[in-house]
């Protein structure tokens, strides 16, 4: 019996031998249900068989899916399987030119190219692929050319739509292109999204392009005004300038604020049943006592309409003595039931606010963790202003409530949260755990890192709580009356007291989530302030009476959380912009953090004053919110981009902002001096003015000037402090003439500390900083000359000059590329060569010398401890993988575990490996130049010194060029070959290549080192 046809075929690059008929062969090899578009030629292995003629059958198609980030790509790839290639764009692939270098050659001569918008040609944008993305875009083009279909799966918002459009424009695909959107990265959501694609929404793209053009016009036209009239390198922005104004206005309120003192009494009452409760004095002789709200914040005096009585400290103490032990009668007792509904699920702004309140996270840190959770498939899309939940999410939350808390804690009906923020953008879901069933935080402890786990825990609790029952309880308000004894023996004064309590009968959703608290159980106890069951007419005793003094408080500064809340309430900005705006105003020096509070800088005052007085609409809250509404109209197809930009920039038709004509008119009217002069209410009438100059803020009275200290909050500056700062030595104080050179020696107060100079030239011949023990006011000529003698040549050791220098981080010795710290500044003048050599014989820190113990250790659940250490350049934080140096104002005394974690997340960097450098035989020319003239001669090393030299090292291993190493690439894996070729041959950075290979940067760097080692070993024949 003859064997069936034997068929050889190729499928997806694989050679397959099959002893089946052609159709059966394909049926066995290709998965069913997949699309077939390409074709393959099949030929029988028997040349005499009539069927050996080529036969043509379809082969599986290849679909390219493009997302924004490698992490997102890896997660989605798991759910798509064969036939799909998932690649990331690694964010935006192109943008308006960032600098002149980015402008293509053919546009360089055009006047509008710097702006990136052709104003006369309907604001046509000039988009360029950034240099660091060109190679990756080339890779995407190649993948697109090999694909049968392209799916653009960027985020479902304006920015994501814009990225998809830019990909389409840049790749110019010749195959069908579809748009796929989803709000969570789960298998069900991805499969549903790929089954229901759509086209790119051009209205959303137009809205995002309009927003980008607005930001460019605002920044590029207004920022130069700040450079010319305030200080260089400042920036203005459509939302950042408004946020800065909010901070400045709040600080102005604090600067105008006048504190007022007031007193009252705290009484501890005791019932007949021996129960105690707190009460507070509210009125004396039928007249209400003053509270903080009764005082005028600008004068510190009672408001005219306030008909209240104020107690002095003496009166309060006398009343306390007269009331102690006196009987009190309950005049009224009113009990009312209360109900509290759960909070809605998170939107972007509320997540950032609670991340700040509960976890101590900065907005950027919250969003980084949320991004990672979303890309990992743990939560839904994190940039949203909708509180809506899908039916499956409501069902999942209700199921977990029943399972974990019991049926009584479940809301009788599913709760619907349909309210959205003012000017809400595209309708997404609220931020919630992903999927149709929620994974509990405890089940993810092994999968998520510290920040991600804590944020997921927060999101999970809030989502589950929103489907729980109401909290129920009772509030009790009691009024009491009595009479205080008179110290003179006469009739005492009638007094009134008030006490209030709150009892939670059923905690409901509070069992899972209490806003602003990490521990719901502890928060429940805080929320309960029970009172004894007091009845009207009941007698109690004032057991203890304590007089308490109070002061009215200025309005609180904004925190990141409250600023986001305020901006959202005013309709300013969008969920996707809040974190970046908060980062920008701090990076640009408009605000600094003091604890959690955002403190505006003096520069922020000057820039806000200029914009308020000359470009009022640009920082007007309603105008900025209206701009968001206009962009919404463009997104909804109700308005067009070009006419709107023409009105905003040019004022076409006499409408809109007319920014360009406004700047042209105002430039001549702006008085830079008046704008830079900041009104400080507490300095009025003193003749002292605060100004912002090119190099920072300073005070001036007549000819006297003084720099304001770094970190001084504007509301802290008062007359006493100003006088003290002005009294400090400032300006130039001639000390005399250096007899050796004939040049003058001058003591100066610089921005970075006091120093002395030699010579009248600019720059001077030589400068030297004062030691911490020196006083600028009493500095003598002889001491100044001694300081100017540094650096000092100590001698020659091992053929190298040894120098004593006063550095930025303290006194130290230097020999070629080696250095050692000295313990005191005065040792710079006294250290001998023998002492220096003894120091150099000791190992440097980290090379044998025992390290100093940590200053402090901060422990966390779910992540490595963070340690505060003392380093050569000051204290720093480390968790063993990243280091972050503390900045001015940050110290062990004011550092908390939350702040330490925040600093490491925001500023932590992997320590750089120190590259070994061969020691130079010749003395440094630069060091010789710095040495005093009279100490230029050096002694040759004597025989004893030579005898102490270390034995000669073994010959160094040969080094190879890339051309010599390239033939040995076969010893590496395919992934190692790609990495090494990109870094060695193409000169790219590991940080840029790693995402393309699906590696994290740290792993890629380790792989690159190992690959280099393998290549060198192969080249040496080892």
């Amino acid at each position: 019996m003859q064997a069936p046809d034997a068929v050889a075929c190729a499928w997806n690059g694989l050679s397959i031998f099959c002893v089946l008929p052609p159709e059966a062969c394909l049926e066995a090899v290709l998965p069913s249900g997949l699309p077939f578009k390409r074709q393959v030629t099949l030929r029988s292995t028997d040349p005499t068989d009539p069927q050996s003629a080529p036969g043509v059958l379809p082969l599986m198609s290849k679909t390219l899916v493009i997302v924004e980030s490698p992490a997102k790509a890896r997660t989605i790839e798991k759910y798509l399987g064969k036939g799909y290639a998932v690649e990331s764009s690694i964010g935006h692939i192109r943008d308006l030119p960032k600098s002149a270098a980015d402008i293509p050659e053919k546009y360089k001569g055009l006047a509008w190219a710097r702006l990136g918008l052709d104003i006369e040609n309907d604001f046509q944008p000039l988009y360029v692929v950034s240099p660091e993305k060109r190679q990756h875009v080339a890779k995407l083009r190649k993948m697109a050319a090999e694909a049968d279909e392209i799916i653009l799966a960027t985020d479902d918002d304006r920015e994501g739509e814009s990225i998809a459009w830019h990909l389409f424009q840049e790749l110019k695909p010749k195959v069908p292109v579809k748009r796929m959107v989803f709000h969570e990265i789960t298998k069900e959501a991805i499969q549903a999204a790929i089954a229901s694609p759509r086209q790119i929404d051009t209205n959303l793209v137009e809205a995002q392009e309009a927003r980008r053009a607005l930001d460019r016009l605002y920044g590029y036209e207004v920022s130069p005004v700040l450079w010319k009239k305030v200080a260089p390198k400042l920036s203005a922005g459509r939302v950042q300038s408004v946020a800065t104004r909010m901070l400045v206005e709040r600080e102005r309120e604090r600067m105008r604020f006048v504190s007022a003192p007031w007193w009252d009494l705290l009484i501890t009452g005791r019932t007949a049943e021996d129960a105690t409760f707190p009460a507070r004095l509210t009125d004396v002789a039928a007249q209400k006592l003053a509270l903080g709200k009764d005082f005028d914040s600008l004068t510190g005096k009672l408001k005219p309409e306030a008909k209240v009585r104020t107690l002095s400290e003496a009166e309060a103490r006398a009343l306390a003595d007269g009331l102690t032990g006196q009987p009190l009668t309950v005049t009224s007792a009113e009990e009312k039931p209360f109900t509290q509904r759960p909070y809605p699920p998170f939107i972007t702004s509320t997540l950032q606010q609670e991340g700040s309140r509960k976890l101590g996270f900065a907005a950027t840190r919250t969003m980084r963790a949320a991004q990672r959770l979303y890309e990992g498939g743990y939560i839904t899309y994190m940039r949203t202003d909708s509180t809506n939940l899908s039916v499956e999410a409501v069902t999942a939350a209700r199921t977990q409530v029943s399972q974990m808390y019991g049926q009584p804690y479940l809301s009788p009906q599913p709760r619907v949260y349909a309210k959205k923020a003012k000017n809400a953008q595209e309708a997404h879901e609220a931020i919630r755990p992903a999927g149709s069933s929620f994974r509990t935080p405890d089940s993810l402890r092994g999968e998520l890192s510290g920040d991600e786990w804590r944020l997921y825990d927060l999101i999970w609790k809030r989502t589950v709580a929103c489907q729980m029952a109401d909290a129920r309880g009772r509030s009790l308000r009691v009024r009491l009356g009595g009479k205080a004894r008179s110290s003179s023996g006469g009739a005492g004064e009638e007094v009134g007291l008030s006490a209030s309590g709150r009892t939670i009968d059923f905690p409901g959703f509070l069992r899972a989530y209490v806003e602003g608290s990490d521990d719901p159980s502890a928060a429940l106890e805080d929320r309960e302030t029970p009172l004894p069951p007091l009845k009207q007419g009941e007698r109690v005793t004032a057991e203890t009476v304590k007089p308490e003094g109070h002061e009215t408080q200025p309005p609180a500064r904004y925190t990141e959380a409250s600023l986001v809340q305020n901006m959202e309430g005013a309709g300013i900005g969008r969920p996707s912009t809040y974190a970046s705006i908060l980062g920008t105003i701090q990076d640009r020096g408009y605000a600094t953090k003091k604890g959690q509070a955002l403190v505006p800088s003096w520069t922020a005052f000057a820039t806000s004053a200029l914009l308020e007085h000359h470009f009022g609409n640009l920082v007007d809250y309603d105008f900025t919110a209206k701009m968001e509404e206009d962009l919404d109209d463009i997104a909804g197809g109700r308005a067009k981009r070009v006419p709107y930009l023409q009105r905003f920039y040019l004022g076409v038709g006499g409408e809109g902002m007319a920014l360009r004509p406004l700047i042209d008119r105002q430039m001549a009217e702006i008085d830079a001096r008046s704008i830079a002069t900041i009104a400080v209410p507490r300095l009025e009438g003193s003749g002292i003015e605060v100004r912002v100059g090119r190099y920072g803020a300073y005070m001036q009275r007549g000819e006297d000037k003084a720099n304001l200290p770094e970190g001084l909050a504007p509301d802290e500056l008062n007359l006493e402090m100003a006088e003290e700062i002005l009294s400090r030595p400032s300006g130039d104080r001639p000390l005399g003439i250096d007899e050796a050179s004939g040049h003058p020696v001058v003591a100066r107060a610089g921005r970075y500390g006091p120093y002395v100079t030699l010579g009248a030239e600019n720059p001077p011949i030589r400068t030297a900083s004062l030691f911490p023990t020196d006083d600028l006011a009493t500095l003598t000529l002889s001491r100044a000359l001694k300081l100017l003698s540094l650096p000092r040549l100590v001698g020659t050791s091992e053929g190298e000059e040894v120098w004593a220098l006063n550095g930025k981080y303290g006194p130290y010795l230097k020999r070629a590329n080696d250095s050692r710290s000295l313990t005191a500044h005065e040792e710079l003048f006294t250290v001998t060569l023998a002492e220096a050599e003894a120091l150099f014989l000791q190992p440097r820190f980290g090379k044998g010398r025992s390290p100093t113990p940590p200053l402090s250790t901060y422990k966390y659940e779910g992540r490595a401890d963070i340690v505060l250490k003392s380093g050569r350049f000051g204290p720093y934080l480390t968790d063993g993988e990243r280091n972050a140096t503390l900045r001015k104002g940050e110290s062990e005394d004011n550092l908390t575990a939350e702040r330490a974690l925040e600093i490491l997340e925001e500023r932590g960097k992997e320590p750089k490996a120190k590259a070994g450098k061969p020691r130079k035989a010749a003395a440094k020319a630069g060091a010789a130049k710095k040495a005093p003239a009279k100490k230029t001669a050096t002694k040759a090393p004597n025989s004893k010194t030579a005898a102490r030299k270390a034995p000669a090292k073994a010959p160094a291993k040969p080094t190879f060029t890339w051309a010599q190493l390239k033939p040995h690439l076969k010893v590496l894996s395919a992934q190692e070959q790609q990495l090494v070729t990109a870094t060695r041959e193409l000169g790219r950075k590991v940080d840029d290549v790693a995402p393309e290979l699906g590696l994290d940067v740290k792993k890629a760097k380790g792989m690159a080192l190992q690959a280099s080692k393998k290549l060198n070993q192969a080249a040496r024949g080892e």
Side-chain angles (χ1 to χ4, degrees), residues 162-404:
S162 179
I163 293 174
W165 179 79
H166 280 292
L167 285 165
F168 179 78
Q169 294 291 317
E170 192 64 34
L171 300 182
K172 298 179 175 58
K174 294 180 173 55
V175 295
V177 177
K178 298 176 183 177
R179 176 85 169 96
M180 168 176 127
V181 295
F182 43 86
H183 299 150
E184 59 181 334
I185 305 177
T186 60
K187 187 174 183 178
E188 297 83 358
I190 298 302
Q191 290 178 343
I194 212 159
S196 306
R198 62 170 174 81
Q199 297 302 310
I200 293 175
D201 190 327
T202 54
N203 286 332
L204 293 183
V205 174
E206 280 279 288
Q208 182 62 23
E209 299 307 287
R211 178 188 294 274
R212 186 69 189 94
L214 276 178
D215 291 341
R216 175 56 69 101
L217 292 169
Y218 193 123
Y220 270 49
E221 295 291 358
V222 181
S223 295
V225 178
L226 301 181
W227 303 342
K228 294 172 184 176
K229 301 296 183 179
V230 181
K233 299 183 181 179
L234 297 178
S235 72
R238 186 173 55 84
V239 180
Q240 86 175 46
S241 295
V242 177
T244 301
R245 181 192 172 189
M246 287 182 174
L247 297 179
V248 169
E249 286 189 335
R250 179 59 55 86
E251 196 71 9
R252 286 173 183 157
E253 292 178 41
R254 293 175 63 88
M255 292 165 74
R256 292 193 299 266
F257 176 79
V258 179
S259 181
W262 51 283
W263 285 79
D264 66 0
L265 303 180
L266 178 64
I267 297 98
T268 300
R270 184 174 291 277
T271 66
E273 289 77 26
D274 218 27
T276 59
F277 63 94
R280 198 165 285 277
L281 184 68
T282 58
D283 50 87
V284 177
Q287 188 175 15
K288 287 191 174 295
L289 289 184
L291 300 174
K293 62 186 176 89
D294 296 315
F295 294 90
D296 188 330
S297 63
L298 299 180
T299 64
K301 297 179 180 178
L302 284 174
K303 297 175 181 176
E305 66 274 14
K307 307 299 181 184
V308 294
R309 173 177 171 177
T310 57
L311 290 180
S312 65
E313 181 179 359
E315 290 174 321
R317 294 194 181 283
L319 262 177
D321 292 339
L323 197 56
T324 302
Q326 290 292 95
L328 303 171
T329 303
V330 177
T331 57
S332 67
E334 184 179 12
E335 186 176 80
K336 291 182 178 179
F338 71 83
T339 300
Q340 186 177 350
R341 295 195 65 191
Y343 316 104
F346 281 130
I347 59 177
T348 304
S349 59
T350 53
L351 179 65
Q352 291 174 5
Q353 291 163 36
E354 283 292 87
S356 175
R357 295 186 190 118
K358 282 176 168 283
L359 308 179
F361 288 1
T364 50
R365 183 176 169 190
T366 297
M367 294 311 291
R368 275 200 305 269
Q371 180 87 33
R372 291 192 290 265
L373 287 172
Y374 167 66
E375 291 173 348
Y378 295 102
I379 64 170
T380 53
Y381 190 51
M382 67 287 164
R383 283 190 282 271
T384 175
D385 43 20
S386 171
T387 55
N388 179 55
L389 286 178
S390 65
V391 173
E392 70 171 11
V394 171
T395 303
R398 293 177 67 80
T399 299
Q400 286 200 323
V401 171
S402 297
Q403 292 173 347
M404 301 183 70

Side-chain angles (χ1 to χ4, degrees), residues 602-790:
W602 296 104
T603 303
F605 275 74
T607 56
S608 287
L610 186 150
L611 294 174
E612 287 170 34
H613 294 153
H614 297 279
F615 305 96
N617 275 348
L618 289 181
V619 288
D620 180 79
Y621 302 145
D622 292 335
F623 180 82
T624 307
K626 178 64 168 59
M627 291 174 76
E628 297 289 357
E629 292 174 1
D630 294 337
L631 291 171
D632 289 340
D633 288 340
I634 296 172
R638 299 180 294 277
K640 296 297 181 183
R641 175 178 61 90
V642 174
Y644 177 70
L645 292 176
Q646 289 174 335
R647 292 193 299 272
F648 173 80
Y649 189 66
L650 301 172
V652 171
E655 299 178 0
M657 180 76 196
L659 179 62
R660 185 65 256 174
L662 178 62
I663 291 175
D664 293 338
R665 289 195 310 271
Q666 291 293 320
M667 277 301 288
E669 299 180 13
I670 299 173
D671 180 2
R673 184 178 177 83
S674 67
I675 286 297
T677 303
I678 300 166
V680 180
R682 293 168 189 159
L683 300 183
E684 285 182 2
S686 66
I688 301 174
E689 292 182 327
V690 174
R691 292 200 179 95
V692 174
R694 294 178 64 85
Y695 306 107
Y698 65 96
M699 291 187 302
Q700 182 172 6
R701 181 167 57 189
E703 297 299 318
D704 295 333
K705 293 182 181 179
N707 292 324
L708 284 169
E710 294 282 344
L712 175 67
D715 80 323
E716 294 173 357
L717 182 60
N718 54 35
L719 183 57
E720 182 182 357
M721 184 183 295
E723 293 284 7
E724 191 273 326
I725 293 172
L726 283 170
S727 67
R728 297 174 187 171
S730 63
D732 302 342
R733 185 168 69 90
L735 298 177
I737 302 295
D738 174 28
E739 293 181 1
S741 66
H743 291 290
V745 178
V746 182
R748 305 174 187 271
R751 182 163 187 81
Y752 302 105
Y755 65 105
V756 290
T757 62
L758 176 67
E761 300 90 340
N762 187 17
I765 298 171
R766 184 172 295 169
T767 64
S769 297
L770 270 63
F771 289 176
T773 53
D774 291 322
D775 183 0
L776 187 64
T778 60
L779 191 71
T780 63
L781 176 61
S782 60
R783 178 62 177 176
L785 290 172
K786 193 172 183 180
L787 294 171
L788 288 165
S789 70
L790 296 173

Side-chain angles (χ1 to χ4, degrees), residues 726-1017:
L726 283 170
S727 67
R728 297 174 187 171
S730 63
D732 302 342
R733 185 168 69 90
L735 298 177
I737 302 295
D738 174 28
E739 293 181 1
S741 66
H743 291 290
V745 178
V746 182
R748 305 174 187 271
R751 182 163 187 81
Y752 302 105
Y755 65 105
V756 290
T757 62
L758 176 67
E761 300 90 340
N762 187 17
I765 298 171
R766 184 172 295 169
T767 64
S769 297
L770 270 63
F771 289 176
T773 53
D774 291 322
D775 183 0
L776 187 64
T778 60
L779 191 71
T780 63
L781 176 61
S782 60
R783 178 62 177 176
L785 290 172
K786 193 172 183 180
L787 294 171
L788 288 165
S789 70
L790 296 173
R792 180 174 74 92
L793 180 63
V794 179
T796 303
S797 172
E798 298 187 6
E800 301 284 358
E801 293 179 344
V802 178
W803 291 89
L805 304 99
N806 185 20
K808 182 178 179 181
Y809 303 105
Y812 68 102
L813 293 169
K814 186 172 182 63
R815 182 177 66 186
N817 291 326
D818 205 2
S819 62
R820 295 291 185 275
S821 295
L822 295 172
T823 56
H825 283 78
E826 292 300 328
E827 290 183 19
L828 291 171
F829 303 118
T830 60
V831 64
T832 65
L833 181 60
E835 291 170 338
E837 288 178 331
L839 279 173
F840 281 111
L841 287 173
Q842 296 179 17
R844 296 184 66 181
F845 182 81
K847 293 186 179 180
R849 188 187 304 178
S850 57
T852 56
L855 301 174
S856 189
T857 302
Y858 306 98
K859 295 185 178 293
Y860 305 89
E861 185 177 354
R863 67 154 291 145
D865 295 348
I866 295 177
V867 178
L868 178 64
K869 292 186 174 182
S870 178
R872 180 182 176 189
F873 305 122
Y876 68 98
L877 293 165
T878 181
D879 61 358
E881 295 183 359
R882 292 175 297 171
N883 299 344
T885 303
L886 296 190
R887 292 176 179 169
K888 187 174 182 179
E890 297 170 344
S891 67
E892 181 185 4
D893 298 333
N894 58 25
L895 209 59
T896 63
E898 291 76 16
R899 180 59 183 152
L901 185 58
E902 183 178 333
I903 290 172
L904 200 64
E905 289 292 336
E906 291 180 353
R907 307 202 295 262
K909 294 181 181 178
E910 293 181 16
K912 295 180 181 178
K914 296 180 180 178
K917 297 181 181 178
R919 180 172 293 181
K920 295 179 182 178
K924 279 192 174 181
K929 286 179 183 177
K930 291 183 180 180
K934 59 185 178 181
K935 296 190 179 181
T936 54
T938 59
K939 292 171 69 177
N942 56 34
S943 58
K944 291 182 179 179
T945 305
R948 286 197 298 266
K949 285 188 177 181
K953 294 181 180 178
K957 292 181 180 178
T959 56
F960 301 98
T961 64
W962 171 242
Q964 293 170 313
L965 293 175
K966 194 172 180 180
H968 302 283
L969 279 174
K970 59 182 179 291
V971 303
L972 305 179
S973 68
Q975 197 172 43
E976 287 174 331
Q977 289 180 26
Q978 289 178 278
L979 179 62
V980 172
T981 302
T983 54
R984 297 292 294 271
E985 187 167 294
L986 303 179
R988 300 180 63 198
K989 293 182 178 180
V990 175
D991 302 55
D992 298 331
V993 180
E996 299 172 15
L997 300 180
L999 300 170
D1000 63 68
V1001 174
K1002 187 176 179 181
K1003 185 176 180 181
K1005 288 180 177 178
M1007 182 183 289
L1009 288 172
Q1010 290 300 316
S1012 179
K1013 184 177 179 181
K1014 290 179 186 177
L1015 285 175
N1016 277 278
Q1017 287 173 338

